[in-house]
Amino acid sequence: MAVIAEEKQGQYLRVVWKRAAWHLSAAQTVMEQLLVCLRRTGWGKVLIKQPPFPAFPLGYHTWLLYNWLPRAQAAGAWCFAILPPRDLFAHLGFADFLSQLRQREVRYCVADSREQAIIWLNQQRADSELS
């Protein structure tokens, strides 16, 4: 359903969803695997290309915000570059998701391309690196 790659040069994790039938439980499994990678590598940066679904499912949206995100932050995730879904209806639901990320003061960038996302990730510094 997705591939999680470790990008050692930029020290970030990359999640790329494959074109396949989408199921909430399978998506949750992928994101749980991402948590394992976050803990193992200690890298707090993540590049996520959103799944190619026809609408941004509310169940996934809710689970990500209220279940997965707090655990990801506890595991050290602090910076997310996101390549959004292209489908109009998925993009509308995704926009609501982003507004809720903003309210939670999550550091993120919505990129137009993988290259743009990588440049942004490489420019980010953890608060601990700034002092």
Side-chain angles (χ1 to χ4, degrees):
M1 176 165 231
V3 173
I4 300 172
E6 295 179 13
E7 301 293 345
K8 290 183 170 86
Q9 184 173 349
Q11 293 192 330
Y12 66 91
L13 297 167
R14 183 170 47 94
V15 181
V16 178
W17 295 87
K18 298 180 179 212
R19 290 208 170 271
W22 189 88
H23 302 285
L24 178 60
S25 61
Q28 289 171 326
T29 298
V30 169
M31 298 307 285
E32 293 295 337
Q33 291 172 347
L34 180 57
L35 284 177
V36 170
C37 292
L38 282 164
R39 288 184 192 106
R40 185 174 40 73
T41 63
W43 301 340
K45 298 178 184 181
V46 181
L47 189 160
I48 298 176
K49 180 177 181 188
Q50 286 299 329
F53 35 57
F56 198 76
L58 183 58
Y60 183 57
H61 170 138
T62 303
W63 181 81
L64 281 173
L65 285 172
Y66 298 103
N67 184 313
W68 184 83
L69 184 61
R71 293 184 296 126
Q73 290 173 312
W78 59 273
C79 182
F80 300 88
I82 304 166
L83 295 167
R86 298 282 181 222
D87 186 278
L88 175 64
F89 294 108
H91 198 75
L92 291 174
F94 183 69
D96 180 54
F97 176 77
L98 291 177
S99 74
Q100 292 188 37
L101 278 183
R102 243 185 320 280
Q103 291 171 10
R104 288 172 168 50
E105 299 180 2
V106 173
R107 191 183 314 183
Y108 73 92
C109 165
V110 177
D112 292 326
S113 67
R114 181 176 169 197
E115 294 75 23
Q116 182 186 31
I118 292 168
I119 289 168
W120 183 83
L121 281 173
N122 287 331
Q123 293 172 343
Q124 303 309 300
R125 298 289 174 255
D127 292 339
S128 62
E129 294 176 28
L130 299 176
S131 31

